Amino acid sequence: GAGVSQSPSNKVTEKGKDVELRCDPISGHTALYWYRQSLGQGLEFLIYFQGNSAPDKSGLPSDRFSAERTGGSVSTLTIQRTQQEDSAVYLCASTHRASYGYTFGSGTRLTVV
Amino acid sequence: AQTVTQSQPEMSVQEAETVTLSCTYDTSESDYYLFWYKQPPSRQMILVIRQEAYKQQNATENRFSVNFQKAAKSFSLKISDSQLGDAAMYFCAYRSAGSGNTPLVFGKGTRLSVIA
């Protein structure tokens, strides 16, 4: 596609429920990243996928967070048993060469009530 | 681990004036890339400018330029002739030049207001 697409744009969920956030990167971009942006904070790295290699999960804050990337394209970030502290904007980005910078999506604002 | 520090949580500038946003970083590496991203209220991060550490010449993109001081590990962004559309959060970011597409490390951002 022309850009990185994320859905939903906004999500309100009850504490304890599971949520899935979707990212559709730019076609041909081999690297895909998930970041979390809490209110008034910078971007916190969560996970990244590079081609067919095993993902770098070093930024995932707990085992309630997981992500997959199917067919080297679309990625889904899953948060199980959501907590209020999970409320944030989740940003996805992709690139074919990180030294050139990323292309970001518009993010999903997650609110846990 | 590398860290990026933006010491100015908020800045303001009069329209048509010049403003400089500060960024420092900590690394033991000699080769890396630095970036400035803009995040308007729409939330979408937009790449403003990038700098390769091995280049001594400061990068410039229209009204945006950087002052890259490698020894001081400083990477400030200068916005000339500020416009209302420049109002946004600005994030400084660092990336190692190693193999693969290792993630960017971001600072906490500076919120820039432009006063008409």
Side-chain angles (χ1 to χ4, degrees), chain B residues 1 7 9 12-13 16-17 21 23 43-44 54-55 59 80 87 90 97 100-101:
Chain B
S7 59
S12 63
V13 61
E17 296 295 308
L21 308 184
C23 173
R43 293 199 309 243
Q44 186 155 22
Y54 64 87
K55 289 187 176 179
S80 303
Y90 286 83
N101 287 314

PDB file of all heavy atoms in Angstrom, chain B residues 1 7 9 12-13 16-17 21 23 43-44 54-55 59 80 87 90 97 100-101:
ATOM      1  N   ALA B   1      23.694   0.295  26.673  1.00  0.00           N
ATOM      2  CA  ALA B   1      22.617   0.631  25.751  1.00  0.00           C
ATOM      3  C   ALA B   1      22.638   2.128  25.452  1.00  0.00           C
ATOM      4  O   ALA B   1      23.019   2.936  26.296  1.00  0.00           O
ATOM      5  CB  ALA B   1      21.268   0.244  26.345  1.00  0.00           C
ATOM      6  N   SER B   7      16.216  17.625  26.574  1.00  0.00           N
ATOM      7  CA  SER B   7      16.127  18.307  27.865  1.00  0.00           C
ATOM      8  C   SER B   7      15.037  19.368  27.921  1.00  0.00           C
ATOM      9  O   SER B   7      14.785  19.938  28.986  1.00  0.00           O
ATOM     10  CB  SER B   7      17.471  18.943  28.210  1.00  0.00           C
ATOM     11  OG  SER B   7      17.834  19.869  27.197  1.00  0.00           O
ATOM     12  N   PRO B   9      11.220  19.849  27.549  1.00  0.00           N
ATOM     13  CA  PRO B   9       9.907  19.230  27.332  1.00  0.00           C
ATOM     14  C   PRO B   9       9.001  20.098  26.450  1.00  0.00           C
ATOM     15  O   PRO B   9       8.211  19.564  25.670  1.00  0.00           O
ATOM     16  CB  PRO B   9       9.329  19.114  28.738  1.00  0.00           C
ATOM     17  CG  PRO B   9      10.492  19.221  29.646  1.00  0.00           C
ATOM     18  CD  PRO B   9      11.494  20.084  28.947  1.00  0.00           C
ATOM     19  N   SER B  12       8.540  27.273  22.731  1.00  0.00           N
ATOM     20  CA  SER B  12       7.629  28.080  21.926  1.00  0.00           C
ATOM     21  C   SER B  12       8.438  29.047  21.076  1.00  0.00           C
ATOM     22  O   SER B  12       9.570  29.403  21.427  1.00  0.00           O
ATOM     23  CB  SER B  12       6.626  28.820  22.808  1.00  0.00           C
ATOM     24  OG  SER B  12       7.308  29.718  23.660  1.00  0.00           O
ATOM     25  N   VAL B  13       7.841  29.428  19.959  1.00  0.00           N
ATOM     26  CA  VAL B  13       8.523  30.326  19.038  1.00  0.00           C
ATOM     27  C   VAL B  13       7.482  31.195  18.358  1.00  0.00           C
ATOM     28  O   VAL B  13       6.349  30.756  18.112  1.00  0.00           O
ATOM     29  CB  VAL B  13       9.339  29.526  17.998  1.00  0.00           C
ATOM     30  CG1 VAL B  13       8.441  28.628  17.154  1.00  0.00           C
ATOM     31  CG2 VAL B  13      10.183  30.434  17.116  1.00  0.00           C
ATOM     32  N   ALA B  16       7.610  32.961  12.078  1.00  0.00           N
ATOM     33  CA  ALA B  16       8.666  33.563  11.255  1.00  0.00           C
ATOM     34  C   ALA B  16      10.025  33.643  11.965  1.00  0.00           C
ATOM     35  O   ALA B  16      11.018  33.986  11.317  1.00  0.00           O
ATOM     36  CB  ALA B  16       8.284  34.936  10.735  1.00  0.00           C
ATOM     37  N   GLU B  17      10.062  33.306  13.259  1.00  0.00           N
ATOM     38  CA  GLU B  17      11.330  33.323  13.972  1.00  0.00           C
ATOM     39  C   GLU B  17      12.008  31.957  13.873  1.00  0.00           C
ATOM     40  O   GLU B  17      11.482  31.006  13.290  1.00  0.00           O
ATOM     41  CB  GLU B  17      11.104  33.704  15.437  1.00  0.00           C
ATOM     42  CG  GLU B  17      10.555  35.109  15.626  1.00  0.00           C
ATOM     43  CD  GLU B  17      11.544  36.163  15.185  1.00  0.00           C
ATOM     44  OE1 GLU B  17      12.708  36.127  15.622  1.00  0.00           O
ATOM     45  OE2 GLU B  17      11.146  37.035  14.374  1.00  0.00           O
ATOM     46  N   LEU B  21      15.946  23.113  18.855  1.00  0.00           N
ATOM     47  CA  LEU B  21      15.586  22.041  19.789  1.00  0.00           C
ATOM     48  C   LEU B  21      16.837  21.212  20.070  1.00  0.00           C
ATOM     49  O   LEU B  21      17.564  20.839  19.141  1.00  0.00           O
ATOM     50  CB  LEU B  21      14.493  21.153  19.196  1.00  0.00           C
ATOM     51  CG  LEU B  21      13.241  21.864  18.671  1.00  0.00           C
ATOM     52  CD1 LEU B  21      12.215  20.845  18.198  1.00  0.00           C
ATOM     53  CD2 LEU B  21      12.645  22.784  19.722  1.00  0.00           C
ATOM     54  N   CYS B  23      19.181  18.000  21.575  1.00  0.00           N
ATOM     55  CA  CYS B  23      19.192  16.542  21.706  1.00  0.00           C
ATOM     56  C   CYS B  23      20.623  16.112  21.992  1.00  0.00           C
ATOM     57  O   CYS B  23      21.562  16.545  21.316  1.00  0.00           O
ATOM     58  CB  CYS B  23      18.693  15.870  20.434  1.00  0.00           C
ATOM     59  SG  CYS B  23      18.855  14.071  20.415  1.00  0.00           S
ATOM     60  N   ARG B  43      -1.018  12.207  15.106  1.00  0.00           N
ATOM     61  CA  ARG B  43      -0.251  11.084  15.686  1.00  0.00           C
ATOM     62  C   ARG B  43       0.780  10.486  14.740  1.00  0.00           C
ATOM     63  O   ARG B  43       1.657   9.759  15.189  1.00  0.00           O
ATOM     64  CB  ARG B  43      -1.158   9.947  16.174  1.00  0.00           C
ATOM     65  CG  ARG B  43      -2.042  10.237  17.333  1.00  0.00           C
ATOM     66  CD  ARG B  43      -2.521   8.978  18.013  1.00  0.00           C
ATOM     67  NE  ARG B  43      -3.095   7.986  17.131  1.00  0.00           N
ATOM     68  CZ  ARG B  43      -4.361   7.586  17.198  1.00  0.00           C
ATOM     69  NH1 ARG B  43      -5.177   8.146  18.077  1.00  0.00           N
ATOM     70  NH2 ARG B  43      -4.805   6.659  16.385  1.00  0.00           N
ATOM     71  N   GLN B  44       0.656  10.731  13.454  1.00  0.00           N
ATOM     72  CA  GLN B  44       1.589  10.076  12.529  1.00  0.00           C
ATOM     73  C   GLN B  44       2.963  10.717  12.594  1.00  0.00           C
ATOM     74  O   GLN B  44       3.117  11.909  12.383  1.00  0.00           O
ATOM     75  CB  GLN B  44       1.056  10.130  11.113  1.00  0.00           C
ATOM     76  CG  GLN B  44       1.911   9.344  10.142  1.00  0.00           C
ATOM     77  CD  GLN B  44       1.141   8.887   8.922  1.00  0.00           C
ATOM     78  OE1 GLN B  44       0.111   9.468   8.600  1.00  0.00           O
ATOM     79  NE2 GLN B  44       1.612   7.849   8.262  1.00  0.00           N
ATOM     80  N   TYR B  54      29.162   9.531  10.071  1.00  0.00           N
ATOM     81  CA  TYR B  54      30.466   9.619   9.417  1.00  0.00           C
ATOM     82  C   TYR B  54      30.579  10.865   8.534  1.00  0.00           C
ATOM     83  O   TYR B  54      31.660  11.187   8.048  1.00  0.00           O
ATOM     84  CB  TYR B  54      30.750   8.360   8.597  1.00  0.00           C
ATOM     85  CG  TYR B  54      29.819   8.127   7.437  1.00  0.00           C
ATOM     86  CD1 TYR B  54      30.064   8.700   6.190  1.00  0.00           C
ATOM     87  CD2 TYR B  54      28.707   7.319   7.560  1.00  0.00           C
ATOM     88  CE1 TYR B  54      29.224   8.483   5.116  1.00  0.00           C
ATOM     89  CE2 TYR B  54      27.853   7.095   6.495  1.00  0.00           C
ATOM     90  CZ  TYR B  54      28.112   7.674   5.270  1.00  0.00           C
ATOM     91  OH  TYR B  54      27.274   7.451   4.217  1.00  0.00           O
ATOM     92  N   LYS B  55      29.466  11.557   8.348  1.00  0.00           N
ATOM     93  CA  LYS B  55      29.506  12.785   7.549  1.00  0.00           C
ATOM     94  C   LYS B  55      29.674  13.991   8.455  1.00  0.00           C
ATOM     95  O   LYS B  55      28.917  14.172   9.414  1.00  0.00           O
ATOM     96  CB  LYS B  55      28.212  12.934   6.740  1.00  0.00           C
ATOM     97  CG  LYS B  55      28.092  11.944   5.597  1.00  0.00           C
ATOM     98  CD  LYS B  55      26.885  12.262   4.737  1.00  0.00           C
ATOM     99  CE  LYS B  55      26.806  11.330   3.533  1.00  0.00           C
ATOM    100  NZ  LYS B  55      25.624  11.601   2.681  1.00  0.00           N
ATOM    101  N   ALA B  59      23.270  18.089   7.981  1.00  0.00           N
ATOM    102  CA  ALA B  59      22.156  17.891   7.061  1.00  0.00           C
ATOM    103  C   ALA B  59      21.223  19.099   7.053  1.00  0.00           C
ATOM    104  O   ALA B  59      21.059  19.779   8.075  1.00  0.00           O
ATOM    105  CB  ALA B  59      21.376  16.634   7.447  1.00  0.00           C
ATOM    106  N   SER B  80      13.959  27.296  10.890  1.00  0.00           N
ATOM    107  CA  SER B  80      13.990  28.700  10.478  1.00  0.00           C
ATOM    108  C   SER B  80      12.628  29.116   9.934  1.00  0.00           C
ATOM    109  O   SER B  80      11.874  28.279   9.432  1.00  0.00           O
ATOM    110  CB  SER B  80      15.057  28.909   9.395  1.00  0.00           C
ATOM    111  OG  SER B  80      16.321  28.497   9.851  1.00  0.00           O
ATOM    112  N   ALA B  87       4.005  23.440  14.525  1.00  0.00           N
ATOM    113  CA  ALA B  87       3.612  23.084  15.890  1.00  0.00           C
ATOM    114  C   ALA B  87       3.370  21.585  15.978  1.00  0.00           C
ATOM    115  O   ALA B  87       2.564  21.023  15.224  1.00  0.00           O
ATOM    116  CB  ALA B  87       2.366  23.852  16.290  1.00  0.00           C
ATOM    117  N   TYR B  90       8.357  16.951  18.704  1.00  0.00           N
ATOM    118  CA  TYR B  90       9.547  16.595  17.929  1.00  0.00           C
ATOM    119  C   TYR B  90      10.368  15.589  18.726  1.00  0.00           C
ATOM    120  O   TYR B  90      10.676  15.806  19.901  1.00  0.00           O
ATOM    121  CB  TYR B  90      10.377  17.843  17.622  1.00  0.00           C
ATOM    122  CG  TYR B  90       9.749  18.698  16.554  1.00  0.00           C
ATOM    123  CD1 TYR B  90       8.741  19.603  16.860  1.00  0.00           C
ATOM    124  CD2 TYR B  90      10.143  18.579  15.215  1.00  0.00           C
ATOM    125  CE1 TYR B  90       8.133  20.373  15.876  1.00  0.00           C
ATOM    126  CE2 TYR B  90       9.547  19.347  14.225  1.00  0.00           C
ATOM    127  CZ  TYR B  90       8.544  20.241  14.569  1.00  0.00           C
ATOM    128  OH  TYR B  90       7.946  21.001  13.587  1.00  0.00           O
ATOM    129  N   ALA B  97      24.655   1.650  13.418  1.00  0.00           N
ATOM    130  CA  ALA B  97      24.900   1.368  12.005  1.00  0.00           C
ATOM    131  C   ALA B  97      25.258  -0.085  11.769  1.00  0.00           C
ATOM    132  O   ALA B  97      25.752  -0.430  10.702  1.00  0.00           O
ATOM    133  CB  ALA B  97      26.003   2.271  11.477  1.00  0.00           C
ATOM    134  N   GLY B 100      21.642  -5.467   9.884  1.00  0.00           N
ATOM    135  CA  GLY B 100      20.225  -5.602  10.157  1.00  0.00           C
ATOM    136  C   GLY B 100      19.552  -4.258  10.322  1.00  0.00           C
ATOM    137  O   GLY B 100      20.141  -3.205  10.079  1.00  0.00           O
ATOM    138  N   ASN B 101      18.335  -4.295  10.718  1.00  0.00           N
ATOM    139  CA  ASN B 101      17.527  -3.080  10.883  1.00  0.00           C
ATOM    140  C   ASN B 101      17.187  -2.887  12.347  1.00  0.00           C
ATOM    141  O   ASN B 101      16.024  -2.835  12.728  1.00  0.00           O
ATOM    142  CB  ASN B 101      16.266  -3.171  10.026  1.00  0.00           C
ATOM    143  CG  ASN B 101      16.568  -2.990   8.553  1.00  0.00           C
ATOM    144  OD1 ASN B 101      17.302  -2.091   8.172  1.00  0.00           O
ATOM    145  ND2 ASN B 101      16.001  -3.838   7.726  1.00  0.00           N
TER     146      ASN B 101
END
